[in-house]
Amino acid sequence: MTDRIANPWGERTPFARDEEWPVRVDQFLEDGVSEDEVDAWVQTASILHSNGDAYDVAVKDGRMVGVRGRAIDRVNKGRMDPKDLFGWQANLSEDRLKRPLIRKDGELVESSWDEAFDLMVEKSQKLLREKGPLAFGFYTTGQLFLEEYYTLAVMGKAGLGTPHMDGNTRLCTATAGQAMKESFGSDGQPGSYADINHADTIMLVGHNMAETQAVTWMRILDRLAGPNPPKLVVVDPRPTPVAKEATVHLPIKSGTNMALLNAFLHEMIENGHYDQGYIDEHTMGFEELKSTVAECTPEWAAGICDVPAEDIREAARLLGESERLLSTVLQGVYQSHQATASACQINNIHLIRGMLGRPGCGVLQFNGQPTAQNTRETGANGDMPAFRNWDNKEHVQELADLWNVDFMKIPHWAPPTHAMQIFRYAEQGSINFLWISCTNPAVSLPELHRIRDILAKEDVFVVVQDIFLTETAELADVVLPAATWGEKTGTYTNTDRTVHLSEAAVEPPGEAKHDMDIFLEYSRRMDFRDNDGAPLIKWEHPEEAFEAWKECTRGRFCDYTGLTYEKLRGGSGIQWPCNEDHPEGTERFFADSNFNTYTETCETYGHDLLTGAVNSEADHRAMAPNGRAFIKPAPFLPTQEEPGEEYPFRLNTGRTIYHFHTRTKTSRAPQLNAAAPDAWVEISPSDAASLGVGEGDVVRVESPRGAMQAKARINGIRDGVVFAPFHYGYFDTEGHDAPDGQPRAANELTITSWDPVSKQPMFKAGAVKVTKVADGNGEPSPAPTTTASAPLDGANGSDGPVPAATTGGGAAEVTERIGG
């Protein structure tokens, strides 16, 4: 038995390069339940991170009682993230939403489904008559199923005809998708998790994988514990668990990724670490890259990033001399300054080395949310479904033919409206109906006082579809109780394109409905029709929706036509594209070095990385890429809000391994909530001393936009930087206001600004000041129990407090069976 709060990554199963990752099956059952008492094990996969770990839900007497990893699955080989081991308990919470709520006389009161839908339809039809489809906005999530997203996309694009549709995936994965479009012509990860088995060097940029994708980190830890371990190059301003395993750790200033990456490229070119034959045959833009980085020496970057030039040079040497290089990327790039430009430079490193499409050679522009890939694929993020190009009239006509609607009904006259612009339109009064599904923007968006004001506006009718009464739902006009994972059936796709089937294990509570059924009922009541007068949406059940989606993907880059529910049952998840040519799926892209940059098929015609200016079809056609990848350089630019006399610190926000998003589910799992019950602020010893702050003292962090309060944690974070986790909102686990009534949401501080290309908000930017408010108890954070191969030190830079054992939160002991 292993305490998976104190040791989140469990026991090691070492393996050597080019070997298969050994099986280790993790299992957690409710106290008093044994394996032989379980009535059924029901197939599913993770809904609390983007890794896509496959597991089974234990059901006894019609209720969930535990979980067990699936040994057969290619993604996790039986292992489970702590959030998955314990997070399922949220489904059992007594405070689940069970009936619709409607606002009457300023209060939310219970109603019937008919009353809720009647009110929504009445408001919708009135707005359509008076203002048209541009009065409607949809803000969805990264946690629904593919079938639900596709239903939403068809409803919004072909039913209402609004371009105002996006997901909270804009906050976590927009840059991932955009960088792949800019470099390779289309979204879709080139690499595979299996590349970890083969790589000799792994670069992690802005990616605390140990806490965001814990099971993939377990795979790396097992490689590190085995023969011929890979070298790790880690770029992160914090001393994270990943940084502690690094061969070279570069704790750069926040906002300086671009300078560092340009220095890497300079060094690699200067030392001849590039494949000229590959570059000439399969790419375009190399000469411009050489010119752009010509003066970007390690010494130049050291002056900007504030790390030693020799460390930069050594990291570049490791990247340049590697025979099998894998790179992973996450929010330290995506939510920072020059996000898309920086992510493209990581792609450029692989392009100039010709390291794509071979075992151990790949890029994983990771997602943040479990089904973010599906949000992008289906068009629920505003893009056109199946990676079609909104600016390609033939692509739009394909959808019009598929859905049997008029070409002009589908919005394509301008780029899709991104999330930050949707909320701005609501603020300005042009969007009057805002439907928010399965997300909590009152905690997760930047500059929260502004978001609360928008949601409370008299002229914005807010519908919230969720499983709990969140901070956002409290501000809604209508609240719709939804079923969640484990209570409905559907598919979802992880970061490396692996598609899993999740089966319904139990019934939803009370009158809660499946999300797809909610969208379908609204569509029926709105009487959305196709050109023949038939119902616009032809399906009733998830499997029928999946079959319709397959037709949408036929012949596209993300071809699902070789997949069926039956094929996904019982075995491993399968990577798309899966079709007649690839009946068992496709492990990695670009083995043939043929990129999806043809003008006729690409997902975008490209952008200027500094301004976001859009290339036209004529521009793209004139470049004649014809299957060659784009090497897109950009110079470093300073951040827009630098520290100064009044606000002397750089702000960094992020995650802990024990919570997901705004803690809606994980705060209701006793073990997870006990491990990280409240927010905190990390500060360096030197900065703490200058402020008179001790461990556990309460500090107030202020930006020009707002403030938060939390206890200080003094650790090895670089001087001049403060870190706060973004998970914590205004409610505690019981739905009461946070202790002392003080704001503890980090997004009170963050700036309303976004990347010019991906439109992803810059959560890891901005300047703050720190003030001591009150003395703490003077006691240091509890020291964790660790293993030599997997250190996690709460007093030295982990994202969260890691007690040696769970106290007051239920047992955290997990069975781990090595070898299955």
Side-chain angles (χ1 to χ4, degrees), residues 423-726:
F423 279 87
R424 177 172 287 180
Y425 286 156
E427 183 177 43
Q428 295 171 338
S430 62
I431 286 180
N432 307 105
F433 188 109
L434 183 58
W435 190 334
I436 300 168
S437 51
C438 191
T439 190
N440 192 14
V443 176
S444 60
L445 283 179
E447 204 169 347
L448 287 180
H449 71 88
R450 176 173 166 263
I451 301 304
R452 292 193 300 274
D453 289 346
I454 293 168
L455 294 173
K457 287 186 69 190
E458 291 285 335
D459 64 344
V460 181
F461 185 78
V462 177
V463 176
V464 171
Q465 182 173 320
D466 215 317
I467 67 172
F468 294 106
L469 193 65
T470 64
E471 289 90 340
T472 301
E474 285 275 8
L475 299 169
D477 296 289
V478 174
V479 179
L480 304 176
T484 186
W485 159 96
E487 300 164 356
K488 57 186 182 177
T489 294
T491 56
Y492 40 96
T493 308
N494 76 345
T495 292
D496 83 339
R497 298 172 282 104
T498 302
V499 184
H500 286 109
L501 176 66
S502 179
E503 305 263 26
V506 297
E507 293 295 321
E511 298 177 20
K513 289 183 179 289
H514 297 185
D515 293 276
M516 193 176 83
D517 289 343
I518 295 172
F519 297 143
L520 289 173
E521 183 64 21
Y522 176 79
S523 298
R524 280 191 289 267
R525 291 177 182 242
M526 288 294 291
D527 199 28
F528 294 141
R529 300 274 170 175
D530 68 13
N531 285 339
D532 296 328
L536 172 66
I537 300 176
K538 309 295 193 294
W539 50 88
E540 296 284 340
H541 305 291
E543 192 165 5
E544 295 170 347
F546 186 76
E547 291 300 314
W549 166 248
K550 285 164 57 176
E551 285 307 308
C552 186
T553 69
R554 188 176 294 278
R556 298 296 303 164
F557 200 55
C558 57
D559 195 329
Y560 275 66
T561 53
L563 293 172
T564 64
Y565 271 30
E566 192 56 38
K567 190 168 186 173
L568 292 169
R569 281 192 176 102
S572 174
I574 299 172
Q575 293 171 283
W576 62 251
C578 180
N579 50 27
E580 288 183 0
D581 294 333
H582 305 281
E584 301 307 317
T586 306
E587 186 161 64
R588 54 185 62 84
F589 277 142
F590 311 134
D592 59 359
S593 304
N594 184 26
F595 299 90
N596 191 34
T597 55
Y598 299 91
T599 304
E600 296 77 16
T601 61
C602 65
E603 192 179 356
T604 181
Y605 297 136
H607 298 75
D608 181 275
L609 296 183
L610 294 184
T611 66
V614 181
N615 293 335
S616 68
E617 179 182 356
D619 295 331
H620 193 274
R621 198 173 293 280
M623 288 186 281
N626 298 328
R628 291 179 291 166
F630 289 103
I631 293 175
K632 302 190 80 166
F636 166 75
L637 298 177
T639 58
Q640 66 185 70
E641 187 174 279
E642 285 284 300
E645 186 174 345
E646 184 175 3
Y647 299 99
F649 294 96
R650 295 175 186 270
L651 174 66
N652 193 3
T653 66
R655 291 156 172 74
T656 170
I657 192 170
Y658 303 113
H659 286 303
F660 175 69
H661 210 240
T662 61
R663 301 170 65 247
T664 306
K665 297 185 183 74
T666 51
S667 69
R668 290 169 170 86
Q671 297 86 349
L672 300 174
N673 194 57
D678 210 345
W680 68 91
V681 173
E682 293 181 15
I683 189 168
S684 76
S686 174
D687 290 333
S690 68
L691 294 167
V693 171
E695 179 77 18
D697 288 350
V698 178
V699 296
R700 180 176 176 85
V701 184
E702 296 179 72
S703 78
R705 292 156 293 280
M708 67 166 287
Q709 283 189 193
K711 289 186 176 182
R713 180 174 302 159
I714 301 171
N715 65 18
I717 195 169
R718 64 169 298 129
D719 291 343
V721 175
V722 296
F723 170 89
F726 86 100

Side-chain angles (χ1 to χ4, degrees), residues 129-426:
R129 289 193 304 270
E130 295 177 357
K131 296 188 68 172
L134 298 185
F136 293 81
F138 292 88
Y139 184 61
T140 189
T141 182
Q143 299 177 62
L144 297 182
F145 291 162
L146 180 155
E147 295 81 356
E148 295 161 343
Y149 291 128
Y150 187 51
T151 303
L152 173 61
V154 176
M155 181 181 83
K157 296 177 194 298
L160 287 167
T162 179
H164 306 324
M165 179 178 287
D166 204 352
N168 65 16
T169 49
R170 183 66 54 185
L171 317 183
C172 68
T173 83
T175 300
Q178 195 63 49
M180 289 182 284
K181 295 179 198 177
E182 299 296 330
S183 297
F184 312 131
S186 179
D187 197 346
Q189 298 287 350
S192 167
Y193 292 166
D195 288 327
I196 294 169
N197 302 12
H198 308 289
D200 61 35
T201 304
I202 302 174
M203 176 170 68
L204 302 98
V205 186
H207 189 185
N208 183 11
M209 183 189 285
E211 311 217 34
T212 56
Q213 285 84 26
V215 169
T216 297
W217 180 241
M218 295 174 202
R219 192 188 291 242
I220 291 180
L221 286 176
D222 287 346
R223 274 291 319 272
L224 292 174
N228 45 58
K231 303 289 194 300
L232 298 191
V233 174
V234 177
V235 181
D236 197 309
R238 300 173 62 228
T240 64
V242 175
K244 293 175 184 180
E245 297 289 347
T247 310
V248 178
H249 173 213
L250 295 161
I252 63 173
K253 283 183 183 177
S254 300
T256 64
N257 290 318
M258 195 70 196
L260 179 70
L261 293 165
N262 276 351
F264 284 171
L265 287 159
H266 167 92
E267 279 295 286
M268 293 167 71
I269 293 169
E270 186 76 10
N271 289 288
H273 294 147
Y274 58 92
D275 185 335
Q276 189 68 56
Y278 185 94
I279 290 167
D280 291 345
E281 189 171 355
H282 302 299
T283 73
M284 53 194 307
F286 181 62
E287 292 304 316
E288 185 183 355
L289 175 70
K290 285 176 68 175
S291 174
T292 301
V293 303
E295 305 300 322
C296 298
T297 64
E299 288 71 24
W300 167 83
I304 295 169
C305 304
D306 194 24
V307 292
E310 281 310 306
D311 288 353
I312 298 174
R313 189 170 281 110
E314 174 61 11
R317 184 189 67 79
L318 291 175
L319 303 180
E321 294 181 358
S322 169
E323 295 179 2
R324 304 182 198 174
L325 173 64
L326 172 66
S327 297
T328 77
V329 195
L330 201 61
Q331 311 300 11
V333 172
Y334 304 159
Q335 294 179 345
S336 192
H337 180 54
Q338 292 188 278
T340 305
S342 298
C344 285
Q345 302 322 300
I346 296 164
N347 294 342
N348 287 347
I349 287 170
H350 284 262
L351 287 170
I352 70 169
R353 295 228 51 215
M355 288 202 172
L356 290 168
R358 293 183 281 124
C361 302
V363 178
L364 287 168
Q365 300 272 358
F366 264 79
N367 300 332
Q369 296 223 36
T371 64
Q373 191 65 46
N374 300 125
T375 319
R376 303 203 306 258
E377 291 167 9
T378 59
N381 70 334
D383 285 345
M384 291 297 164
F387 298 158
R388 289 177 172 86
N389 185 344
W390 69 268
D391 204 15
N392 185 321
K393 290 180 173 54
E394 291 183 4
H395 287 193
V396 180
Q397 186 63 57
E398 288 173 5
L399 293 174
D401 293 342
L402 181 69
W403 298 336
N404 192 21
V405 296
D406 290 338
F407 171 78
M408 290 303 296
K409 181 73 172 183
I410 302 171
H412 63 280
W413 51 87
T417 312
H418 62 90
M420 301 305 294
Q421 194 67 53
I422 288 172
F423 279 87
R424 177 172 287 180
Y425 286 156

